[in-house]
Amino acid sequence: MTKAQVRARWLGRLPYAEAWDLQKAFWEGRVLGRAADDYLLLLEHPHTYTVGRNGDGSNLLIAESMLGDIDAEIHYVDRGGDITYHGPGQLVGYPVFAVPRLPNGFDMVGHVRRIEQLIIAALGDLGVAAWPEEGLTGVWTDRGKVAAIGVRVSRGVSMHGFAINVDPDLSYFGKIVPCGIADRDVTSISELVGRQVRIEEVVEAVLAHIGPVFGFSDLEAQLGAFARGSGREPFAVDRMVTAGVFSGEATTDVPVAINGLLPGEPRRPEWMRIKADISSDGYRDVRRLMRSKELNTVCEEAGCPNIYECWASGTGTLMLLGDKCTRACAFCDVQTGRPGEVDREEPERAAEAVAAMGLRHAVLTSVNRDDLDDGGAAIFAETIDRIRDLVPDCDVEVLIPDFKGDRDALDTVMAAKPEVLNHNTETVLRLQREVRTAANYGRSLALLARAKWANPTCTVKSGLIVGMGETEAEIMATLADMRAVGVDLITIGQYLRPTPRHRPVDRYVHPDEFQRYSAEGERLGIPHVEAGPLVRSSYHAAESLETAQQ
């Protein structure tokens, strides 16, 4: 049977717990119909041992308490098989596929055999002869096992998948009896071919065969960055960090902007002209209030183009936890540096400001605070509580960082029951590492899914910036990913370079293209996509929420 499309994603390195939740989110999306297509998630893990349903942990050869000494962790999971290892240099694949139904159930055995065929075909492209073995699962060579397979099929959709040893540290297999098979060796592609094989070579080979083996007529692939080795061009954001762009202490000359344009930048079109009106009473009142309460706003710190409109109408987005961010992003004007002490009185002052402005929809955000154990989650939660004390009928929207994937931190925020949980994905998968530091596309999607699970009645929201080098097709694919994991509301707006030191504008997206994004969101079943040149995460936040809830 020919299938229409598979969406493949190379996500880079992602901790196992986040990847497990991410594939569960895509599985849920496929089962519930949020995703019409199958997904193949490709990634690496940090050092991890997983034990399937057929194992009891007895084939782990060191005490679990000693795993920290080798920077490894262990997870007991719901796939088939016994114990295996995942780690750097190993390509892990999670096919989230609708599995054909047979008269006696779903074709799990056939699904496993097709995964074996896929790996064998990919290895053949790399000059490795490999085969399945009778009575065993996985892919084998004359020097041992090169790929492990363990799957689960539930409600007709598969989870878990395969792990191909590309160039891992094979000594980690010495701490286990791999797959419970004591008398067979484990090998890697690099060992078999006598050279260091790169992950991207194997990804390319797998993608070349996924259609023919599984019967897909179309492959839609989005690939994140691969590791930058010696002699390769550094990421743009890393060059900017080195140059001191985000600290305000640039160590290189500032690029020359002629008539406000950097070399190669397009001229700002008429639809991007913004009228600055600092004379309105509303604008001055909000500015005065923020100063009197010693509060920061993202409106000012990030140079939002809508500050005049929003402040004139008496609204603004409060930025908690100071004005120094522990990260640097190529598009953002918030200063990077060492943050100060946490201001424990800030939640109370923020609530007083919300009350003074008479808000019925308050938006809270923060800088990244990777220096804090909880990333600042407790301050978010306390601010929500204080607003509820002073303005009980005010909806609260929080725009949070990723908390480095810490689920407990996210749960702290969700326990305060914000009406809207927003976390910006910012850009397409291909450009994530190019423009964001310490961020991960898979992590962002996992956070959004976890938020929905924590409170299904909460509106889960995310945002994208366009004009940084992405294509329209990549944005459409990102919308599909967000829909698949359960996002309810998406904002899409034009990138505007904050200073000559920041990332140049690649293009100005025409309003017609923004309309196509909104139409695609509607087609995918996303409750609301707010798309337009001047749209930002909290722009018309209350109106967008009302539309999404209709």
Side-chain angles (χ1 to χ4, degrees):
M1 182 179 69
T2 300
K3 297 185 177 185
Q5 180 173 248
V6 60
R7 296 183 184 272
R9 303 290 183 261
W10 162 250
L11 299 169
R13 190 171 300 178
L14 192 64
Y16 188 85
E18 293 175 80
W20 191 0
D21 280 350
L22 183 60
Q23 64 165 319
K24 283 189 287 187
F26 277 105
W27 171 87
E28 179 186 82
R30 192 71 173 95
V31 167
L32 297 180
R34 294 194 306 252
D37 302 307
D38 292 340
Y39 271 87
L40 174 61
L41 308 180
L42 299 170
L43 44 84
E44 283 183 302
H45 290 306
H47 300 299
T48 306
Y49 295 106
T50 63
V51 182
R53 293 191 304 269
N54 297 337
D56 57 9
S58 61
N59 285 317
L60 177 67
L61 303 181
I62 66 172
E64 285 193 25
S65 60
M66 295 180 62
L67 289 175
D69 296 338
I70 58 173
D71 295 322
E73 57 187 28
I74 191 167
H75 293 271
Y76 290 81
V77 299
D78 56 0
R79 61 163 172 78
D82 200 311
I83 192 168
T84 192
Y85 163 77
H86 300 309
Q90 185 187 73
L91 176 62
V92 176
Y94 296 126
V96 184
F97 289 0
V99 177
R101 182 185 286 275
L102 300 176
N104 60 344
F106 292 103
D107 186 19
M108 181 182 292
V109 173
H111 179 65
V112 171
R113 296 294 169 253
R114 286 185 286 275
I115 292 176
E116 289 174 341
Q117 294 170 28
L118 172 67
I119 297 170
I120 290 167
L123 293 177
D125 289 352
L126 298 166
V128 174
W131 52 85
E133 294 207 354
E134 186 70 27
L136 297 173
T137 300
V139 175
W140 303 81
T141 71
D142 57 6
R143 295 179 66 175
K145 190 173 188 177
V146 71
I149 298 171
V151 302
R152 176 182 181 230
V153 175
S154 177
R155 299 177 66 178
V157 178
S158 66
M159 289 181 65
H160 303 289
F162 60 84
I164 304 173
N165 299 331
V166 180
D167 189 33
D169 181 348
L170 293 176
S171 70
Y172 278 84
F173 285 97
K175 306 296 190 296
I176 62 174
V177 179
C179 300
I181 304 172
D183 59 348
R184 302 295 294 268
D185 291 331
V186 174
T187 187
S188 69
I189 300 176
S190 291
E191 192 174 71
L192 290 164
V193 302
R195 67 175 179 85
Q196 185 177 23
V197 178
R198 303 189 311 276
I199 286 280
E200 50 261 55
E201 297 177 70
V202 187
V203 168
E204 181 181 358
V206 167
L207 295 183
H209 293 281
I210 189 72
V213 170
F214 280 88
F216 292 107
S217 61
D218 184 31
L219 169 66
E220 185 270 299
Q222 304 292 324
L223 307 183
F226 293 94
R228 295 290 173 96
S230 176
R232 296 191 184 187
E233 183 72 14
F235 294 106
V237 72
D238 294 333
R239 293 197 303 270
M240 295 165 69
V241 170
T242 301
V245 167
F246 308 105
S247 65
E249 300 175 357
T251 57
T252 59
D253 292 336
V254 178
V256 176
I258 300 175
N259 295 325
L261 299 176
L262 293 177
E265 273 192 325
R267 291 189 177 278
R268 184 174 295 194
E270 188 59 37
W271 66 78
M272 291 303 306
R273 305 294 180 186
I274 303 162
K275 181 180 180 181
D277 181 9
I278 63 174
S279 63
S280 71
D281 291 340
Y283 177 90
R284 291 199 302 267
D285 289 346
V286 171
R287 192 171 190 273
R288 189 180 305 115
L289 179 62
M290 296 304 161
R291 298 295 179 271
S292 68
K293 297 294 184 183
E294 297 181 343
L295 296 171
N296 298 302
T297 68
V298 75
C299 321
E300 293 176 290
E301 300 300 331
C304 180
N306 303 309
I307 186 171
Y308 310 107
E309 176 188 347
C310 294
W311 282 23
S313 65
T315 64
T317 299
L318 302 181
M319 192 168 77
L320 307 174
L321 295 161
D323 60 357
K324 297 291 191 302
C325 187
T326 54
R327 300 190 192 174
C329 296
F331 54 83
C332 184
D333 202 24
V334 176
Q335 191 173 28
T336 301
R338 185 184 299 277
E341 292 294 320
V342 174
D343 182 353
R344 300 296 174 183
E345 305 301 320
E346 187 176 46
E348 187 67 33
R349 297 198 310 277
E352 291 171 352
V354 169
M357 286 189 284
L359 297 184
R360 292 297 175 264
H361 188 102
V363 183
L364 309 174
T365 188
S366 78
V367 292
N368 276 281
R369 290 297 302 260
D370 294 330
D371 58 312
L372 303 177
D373 290 341
D374 71 346
I379 293 294
F380 270 103
E382 186 177 353
T383 305
I384 295 170
D385 290 341
R386 297 291 75 77
I387 291 173
R388 295 269 163 71
D389 290 341
L390 293 181
V391 195
D393 57 348
C394 180
D395 290 340
V396 180
E397 175 174 332
V398 291
L399 171 56
I400 63 170
D402 62 25
F403 298 134
K404 296 190 292 187
D406 184 343
R407 187 162 194 166
D408 289 340
L410 174 62
D411 286 345
T412 296
V413 176
M414 296 306 295
K417 297 190 179 302
E419 278 71 25
V420 180
L421 187 289
N422 188 359
H423 170 71
N424 283 339
T425 309
E426 307 292 11
T427 190
V428 299
L429 177 54
R430 177 176 58 86
L431 293 178
Q432 289 282 317
R433 185 60 184 86
E434 187 71 16
V435 301
R436 303 170 83 192
T437 56
N440 182 291
Y441 184 82
R443 169 168 288 172
S444 291
L445 292 183
L447 179 152
L448 293 164
R450 286 170 166 178
K452 197 65 176 178
W453 294 332
N455 181 4
T457 65
C458 177
T459 296
V460 175
K461 178 177 176 180
S462 192
L464 296 168
I465 309 167
V466 294
M468 294 197 291
E470 76 295 323
T471 67
E472 183 172 346
E474 287 176 316
I475 292 291
M476 298 298 193
T478 304
L479 292 176
D481 294 353
M482 290 182 176
R483 171 59 177 162
V485 302
V487 175
D488 301 303
L489 203 165
I490 298 170
T491 59
I492 308 176
Q494 171 69 49
Y495 169 59
L496 296 175
R497 173 175 46 77
T499 75
R501 296 189 182 96
H502 285 77
R503 184 180 181 88
V505 174
D506 178 75
R507 66 186 178 118
Y508 286 101
V509 175
H510 193 275
D512 289 349
E513 186 172 326
F514 284 108
Q515 290 182 4
R516 290 196 292 274
Y517 294 147
S518 295
E520 177 66 4
E522 182 177 352
R523 186 191 72 81
L524 291 167
I526 300 170
H528 183 60
V529 175
E530 182 81 15
L534 297 180
V535 168
R536 294 296 182 266
S537 296
S538 54
Y539 186 56
H540 292 172
E543 296 86 347
S544 295
L545 174 61
E546 184 177 347
T547 302
Q549 291 178 335
Q550 289 176 352

